[in-house]
Amino acid sequence: MNTEKVTARRLTAEEVSGLGLQDGIFVSAETDGLPLDCYAPAFLTEPGKNFEGGSFTARTAFGEEIHILPDNAEEGGIWIADKAGEEIEVLQSAGVLLNLALFVPNGNKESLEALYASARDAFGAGIVQRWSEETVEVPDVKVDLYEEPARGRKNTNGQNRDRRALDIYPTRVRFLEPSEGWRFIVEPHKEIVDDTPTI
């Protein structure tokens, strides 16, 4: 866990009510019930002037949304950087969690292990971890994946329908949800040929 010491002071509820959405603050780094004795960079989810009692809501740099009563002595409170304040430990945003779907041509156990080993070499052993793994055999083909309104317009050919291109690999369909009111259309891939005359 990487932390850095930051000089900050704790704000009262009245001071917090004067903050805007761009003002950087520090709040408790506790996440999903995991007690962490340090703070995380955060921002209010709405301007403090909108506070009408209850608790302030802040979103940390790690995507956690927490509710805070600044004047409650039993809570970590809301802090702001101030050279005249005291030192607090702030959790650094030092890592990225990637949720990857990888297509490996002629994929087999050896090639997957080589891929994993090269990632560990690049970032360090013990850093790269496989949280979950699902291997699915897929055809090595390209398709054109589109999204179009669920109820297509009448008397129009396929060229004029409202549609938006999403991808060319069929494996992605398993991880996507169509937008509300839209449906997926999968067609054989057609290379785009540019017929624009050139000089």
Side-chain angles (χ1 to χ4, degrees):
M1 188 168 78
N2 296 324
T3 62
E4 60 180 341
K5 292 191 182 297
V6 173
T7 307
R9 67 180 173 85
R10 183 171 178 153
L11 301 178
T12 64
E14 185 178 344
E15 289 175 314
V16 176
S17 64
L19 296 178
L21 299 180
Q22 286 77 34
D23 293 308
I25 56 177
F26 303 108
V27 298
S28 173
E30 181 174 327
T31 172
D32 291 332
L34 178 66
L36 296 172
D37 191 22
C38 59
Y39 295 84
F43 297 91
L44 293 178
T45 58
E46 61 177 297
K49 64 184 179 184
N50 295 346
F51 180 64
E52 297 177 352
S55 60
F56 289 92
T57 305
R59 182 174 286 108
T60 72
F62 308 107
E64 294 285 333
E65 196 167 280
I66 62 172
H67 302 277
I68 316 145
L69 294 169
D71 293 331
N72 185 346
E74 295 180 6
E75 292 187 0
I78 296 177
W79 297 68
I80 192 167
D82 187 341
K83 291 181 180 178
E86 58 184 277
E87 278 192 346
I88 60 172
E89 290 279 346
V90 175
L91 196 59
Q92 290 182 326
S93 180
V96 176
L97 179 65
L98 296 177
N99 185 12
L100 297 177
L102 298 174
F103 172 68
V104 182
N106 300 316
N108 54 34
K109 187 175 181 181
E110 289 74 26
S111 59
L112 293 174
E113 287 298 330
L115 194 65
Y116 180 49
S118 62
R120 287 171 59 101
D121 289 342
F123 298 103
I127 300 297
V128 176
Q129 301 177 35
R130 291 185 285 194
W131 288 76
S132 64
E133 187 174 305
E134 179 186 11
T135 55
V136 179
E137 291 199 19
V138 293
D140 186 4
V141 296
K142 290 181 180 179
V143 298
D144 288 327
L145 173 61
Y146 297 99
E147 207 176 31
E148 71 175 26
R151 295 181 181 174
R153 295 176 180 168
K154 293 182 179 178
N155 302 322
T156 58
N157 61 32
Q159 297 297 316
N160 297 327
R161 286 182 297 194
D162 289 334
R163 54 167 50 184
R164 46 196 181 205
L166 296 177
D167 214 322
I168 58 172
Y169 291 102
T171 48
R172 287 261 298 174
V173 182
R174 302 179 62 248
F175 302 96
L176 294 174
E177 290 285 336
S179 303
E180 188 174 345
W182 293 66
R183 63 176 178 163
F184 286 141
I185 300 293
V186 180
E187 298 175 351
H189 178 61
K190 294 179 183 175
E191 295 290 343
I192 297 175
V193 179
D194 189 352
D195 293 327
T196 306
T198 57
I199 299 173

